[in-house]
Amino acid sequence: MQGQMQLSLQEEITQFYYREAYLLDHRNYREWLDLLAEDITYVMPLRVTVENKMGSNVNQEMTYFSDTKKDIAMKVERLYMKSAWVDDPAPRQRHFISNVMVEQTGAPDEYKVISYFLFKRSRSSEANTEEIFGEREDLLRKVDGDWKVASRTVYADQSVLTVMNLAMFL
Amino acid sequence: MNLIIEELKQMQGKLEEGYFPQWVVTDPEIYKLEQEKVFSKTWLFLAHESELKESGSYITRMMVDDPILLMKNRKGEIKAFLNSCSHRGTRLCTEDYGNKKAHTCPYHGWTFNLDGELIGIVAGNKVYGEKMDKSEWGLRPVPRVESYQGMIFGNLDPNAMSLEDYLGDMKFYFDIMLGRSDGGMEVRGVPQRWIAKANWKMTAENFAADPYHVQTTHRSATEMKLTPSDPLYASYGHQVVLQNGHGINVITSATGASANKYQGMPEDMWTMFERNLNEKQVEIFSKVTNFVGGVFPNLSFLSSCSGSEGVRHNHLNWRVWRPIGPEKIEIWVWYMIDKALPEEYKEKSYKGFLATFGAAGTLEQDDTENWARIIEASSGTMSRDRTLSYNNMANYLMGFDNVEIDETFPGPGEAYPTCYTDHIARSMHKYWLELMTKESGGEG
């Protein structure tokens, strides 16, 4: 019984991520924005190359972004502007989300979720594609029956990013 | 190579008339020649002293393709070496930063101390006998390492002019950006790094010489009402041409001042600024909105005042456009802030930086698009062929004969009373051409 419940929760959360990826890849940014909690913190610290004895190869002091919902909303609105050149003509993008691991937290409606991501982008008629990959650590919250991302930390695996900008959402 | 140098020499006159051939931007032979003539002769930025805090601290950097290891020794001095073991040439340190008393090569175990001296050889006496003198096999130092206002530069040319001479009048502006506060500036965390499709000359020009792009490239910022709608807004102020291809834009506003005195820094710091700077520096600093400029060849900076809802916070970011090919660069961006500022201000300034510049900043994103488009259209026959009837010249005619130097500007350099002019760009490319066509003689 417990196993069944867990499986359906896993399935539900995985489906939520697939839908999220679909919205982003199809540039439905305003709809995507609705999946984020009002108090979301959306952060991407720097991955660095350091000795193993340092314990972590993430530098939290510097981030690529450290956004509130208001900051994200502004970025979203920019992408609908006629002069956001990097997105018009739009590059093609895919978010591949996998290895979803759900963990309980102290709160009944909140789960810590780790997922792996691979983001691929094709710009213009260029043969080379850009990619960025790593993992995300989310706090998902059920609000009135809907899942919301309450916090997200994005850890890229590259210490030198191989995307020419971070105009995308991960 | 000689052929290309001859061709470059013929270009000299064209450049003075305001033309720069499009083919030189991405030409592979030009790129090779730049390694020898430009990047091996000029001062390249390595690090800010605040990145190396205590003895044993180290960071690794690149001087184009040379990996560099910087270490702080027991006396507190920062030294820079080729990051390569003197035994078989193995890259000694692969980390970005850390702290160690000594660095041991993973290949055969040779060990070097914080002064780069070889202090340990596995089975030394038994295998090398008398022939081997350890003192001759230390790490190879960067031939010249000098610093100004905490900015550490390296130069591969032992006969190069001193860093201070090279910076020349840029020192006056460095003092404003870096020397205004007691305790100086500090780098937050580590630099952001990413790869872009671009040529280093064009990105350097974008920062040092080109406020004209702001109103079009960054139009989305205007559409979002983050920046003024006046298409001339980035033109107000002075474009200042300095020696050796350096330049700075001192951007103000239509009134000649900024809405935020001292770039929006708290009033209780103003007397400190006035104490640390001279009168002319104070006059410029109190009125500036943004400083944006560059140190030739590939160091750029922006000291801006950004934020939303009328609350603006100053930050300073430095960037190195490390060439990794004629069509590719690795961008390094350091965020810097006055140590003396209150923590709360620092945090807001940092957020303002992330939102505007840096890989995810809304202003930064669109720049990369234009840089890539230059590459895409500069490698074909029509843009490169010198015998077709096309001009094949990029246009650097702005402000060619319609802007006079403003003698009343308080700072050093040739100050033109608008930032929409190609004066710095022409001066950068002129210096580039001078270096590229210089005979490599002198060493006998």
Side-chain angles (χ1 to χ4, degrees):
Chain A
M1 201 62 185
Q2 185 70 16
Q4 280 268 311
M5 267 179 66
Q6 281 306 321
L7 200 62
S8 78
L9 179 69
Q10 174 84 27
E11 184 65 21
E12 209 181 309
I13 288 175
T14 307
Q15 286 298 323
F16 171 77
Y17 281 143
Y18 289 168
R19 181 173 140 71
E20 185 196 9
Y22 184 88
L23 291 177
L24 286 172
D25 293 345
H26 290 78
R27 309 172 55 76
N28 295 327
Y29 295 119
R30 286 180 185 136
E31 267 183 76
W32 170 73
L33 203 56
D34 288 338
L35 306 183
L36 312 180
E38 291 310 308
D39 60 343
I40 186 174
T41 52
Y42 177 51
V43 183
M44 183 174 174
L46 262 68
R47 184 77 80 170
V48 289
T49 308
V50 291
E51 281 193 300
N52 296 345
K53 73 171 185 205
M54 287 180 82
S56 164
N57 61 8
V58 172
N59 187 300
Q60 304 276 3
E61 251 189 288
M62 179 50 65
T63 58
Y64 286 107
F65 50 79
S66 183
D67 288 346
T68 60
K69 184 150 186 185
K70 206 170 141 199
D71 299 325
I72 304 167
M74 197 174 78
K75 289 180 179 175
V76 161
E77 285 315 307
R78 195 189 85 91
L79 294 176
Y80 289 103
M81 302 279 166
K82 61 174 193 261
S83 58
W85 311 119
V86 69
D87 257 56
D88 188 10
R92 280 74 56 184
Q93 55 183 351
R94 297 284 164 192
H95 290 74
F96 298 93
I97 307 297
S98 71
N99 301 53
V100 177
M101 288 181 290
V102 182
E103 267 180 49
Q104 279 182 329
T105 65
D109 292 329
E110 287 189 348
Y111 294 88
K112 180 181 156 186
V113 188
I114 308 277
S115 58
Y116 290 4
F117 71 88
L118 167 63
F119 172 88
K120 301 279 291 186
R121 183 164 67 179
S122 171
R123 178 193 161 276
S124 189
S125 44
E126 241 177 275
N128 290 333
T129 56
E130 295 178 279
E131 67 177 26
I132 179 167
F133 52 89
E135 74 180 48
R136 307 183 302 188
E137 190 180 311
D138 289 359
L139 188 66
L140 286 195
R141 187 187 295 150
K142 198 101 181 219
V143 181
D144 300 327
D146 293 322
W147 290 106
K148 301 277 179 189
V149 183
S151 80
R152 172 167 293 170
T153 309
V154 181
Y155 301 101
D157 286 337
Q158 299 109 308
S159 63
V160 181
L161 302 182
T162 52
V163 286
M164 68 179 200
N165 56 55
L166 285 173
M168 78 297 282
F169 299 102
L170 295 166
Chain B
M1 273 310 174
N2 284 335
L3 237 145
I4 236 170
I5 294 176
E6 278 317 306
E7 218 165 339
L8 287 173
K9 279 182 180 163
Q10 287 164 19
M11 212 191 263
Q12 218 121 18
K14 282 281 168 207
L15 190 66
E16 275 155 30
E17 290 166 33
Y19 306 99
F20 192 61
Q22 198 175 344
W23 66 269
V24 302
V25 176
T26 56
D27 187 89
E29 272 191 73
I30 292 277
Y31 180 75
K32 261 188 257 162
L33 200 61
E34 282 171 347
Q35 316 300 309
E36 177 197 332
K37 302 276 190 181
V38 176
F39 291 100
S40 302
K41 301 286 176 193
T42 50
W43 288 95
L44 306 180
F45 178 66
L46 289 170
H48 185 256
E49 63 184 15
S50 68
E51 294 181 87
L52 292 134
K53 291 193 169 63
E54 55 288 304
S55 131
S57 291
Y58 64 89
I59 47 176
T60 54
R61 292 288 139 90
M62 296 298 288
M63 288 174 85
V64 190
D65 291 328
D66 284 311
I68 306 298
L69 172 64
L70 287 111
M71 297 185 283
K72 194 166 198 167
N73 70 12
R74 287 179 192 284
K75 284 183 253 163
E77 302 156 336
I78 295 168
K79 296 192 169 179
F81 301 94
L82 181 65
N83 183 8
S84 168
C85 177
S86 55
H87 176 224
R88 287 289 196 272
T90 316
R91 182 165 159 191
L92 183 63
C93 175
T94 52
E95 301 99 58
D96 295 336
Y97 60 91
N99 192 293
K100 279 181 198 175
K101 285 191 191 78
H103 290 260
T104 299
C105 178
Y107 198 2
H108 303 90
W110 284 28
T111 298
F112 303 88
N113 69 11
L114 301 177
D115 290 298
E117 294 160 344
L118 178 60
I119 50 166
I121 305 176
V122 175
N125 295 340
K126 292 196 182 74
V127 292
Y128 284 101
E130 298 288 308
K131 177 103 177 114
M132 168 86 173
D133 178 358
K134 269 204 294 203
S135 69
E136 288 172 6
W137 294 95
L139 293 177
R140 288 151 285 181
V142 175
R144 297 277 295 280
V145 179
E146 288 168 27
S147 68
Y148 187 75
Q149 291 286 16
M151 301 285 281
I152 306 164
F153 291 74
N155 197 319
L156 300 186
D157 179 8
N159 303 314
M161 66 179 104
S162 72
L163 174 67
E164 291 209 23
D165 286 346
Y166 182 70
L167 291 174
D169 289 332
M170 183 59 96
K171 287 188 294 177
F172 173 94
Y173 302 98
F174 265 36
D175 292 347
I176 302 177
M177 291 186 288
L178 298 157
R180 64 200 180 201
S181 287
D182 298 345
M185 308 293 281
E186 62 187 355
V187 169
R188 177 170 173 141
V190 291
Q192 296 187 359
R193 292 164 71 182
W194 72 102
I195 307 281
K197 185 174 176 178
N199 180 272
W200 71 271
K201 292 188 284 300
M202 305 317 280
T203 49
E205 180 191 297
N206 179 270
F207 267 70
D210 192 3
Y212 184 50
H213 81 281
V214 173
Q215 35 87 33
T216 311
T217 300
H218 305 304
R219 188 183 295 158
S220 63
T222 307
E223 283 189 64
M224 290 189 300
K225 300 188 175 20
L226 294 174
T227 47
S229 56
D230 175 3
L232 285 166
Y233 84 90
S235 77
Y236 301 122
H238 289 80
Q239 179 163 100
V240 187
V241 179
L242 302 168
Q243 311 91 320
N244 304 328
H246 317 318
I248 184 167
N249 294 275
V250 181
I251 299 177
T252 55
S253 69
T255 65
S258 165
N260 304 283
K261 198 175 176 185
Y262 294 117
Q263 295 193 299
M265 279 187 282
E267 240 178 290
D268 58 14
M269 291 174 78
W270 295 2
T271 49
M272 174 178 74
F273 299 150
E274 287 155 15
R275 173 163 44 80
N276 289 331
L277 301 173
N278 69 35
E279 252 174 65
K280 288 176 176 179
Q281 288 167 326
V282 163
E283 190 184 336
I284 290 170
F285 186 35
S286 63
K287 291 178 184 168
V288 71
T289 305
N290 293 315
F291 285 120
V292 58
V295 174
F296 189 88
N298 64 336
L299 173 68
S300 297
F301 57 82
L302 169 70
S303 171
S304 97
C305 201
S306 42
S308 54
E309 294 156 17
V311 188
R312 304 206 167 254
H313 296 88
N314 173 244
H315 79 266
L316 175 60
N317 73 83
W318 294 87
R319 44 194 65 219
V320 162
W321 320 105
R322 178 199 158 210
I324 47 179
E327 305 188 343
K328 221 184 241 189
I329 54 169
E330 181 184 351
I331 304 175
W332 292 64
V333 177
W334 288 257
Y335 164 89
M336 244 187 240
I337 189 81
D338 298 62
K339 270 187 210 168
L341 276 164
E343 285 308 314
E344 197 196 336
Y345 185 102
K346 287 183 188 174
E347 204 52 30
K348 286 181 179 158
S349 149
Y350 167 60
K351 293 280 170 64
F353 157 70
L354 294 176
T356 50
F357 291 92
T362 48
L363 284 139
E364 184 95 29
Q365 292 167 16
D366 286 317
D367 283 322
T368 52
E369 178 65 24
N370 289 320
W371 300 338
R373 289 190 192 194
I374 293 177
I375 302 291
E376 284 159 16
S378 302
S379 323
T381 309
M382 283 172 76
S383 55
R384 293 188 45 183
D385 194 291
R386 283 83 99 184
T387 57
L388 290 176
S389 58
Y390 309 111
N391 191 349
N392 284 350
M393 292 285 175
N395 180 320
Y396 289 88
L397 290 166
M398 191 166 49
F400 188 76
D401 52 11
N402 57 337
V403 192
E404 295 293 316
I405 291 175
D406 177 1
E407 302 289 354
T408 66
F409 183 72
E414 294 172 3
Y416 295 88
T418 172
C419 296
Y420 285 0
T421 174
D422 285 329
H423 276 94
I424 293 176
R426 285 194 296 269
S427 149
M428 284 172 75
H429 297 317
K430 189 172 165 234
Y431 188 63
W432 175 85
L433 199 56
E434 240 174 76
L435 293 174
M436 290 288 279
T437 54
K438 206 171 182 174
E439 303 298 330
S440 351
E443 58 270 71

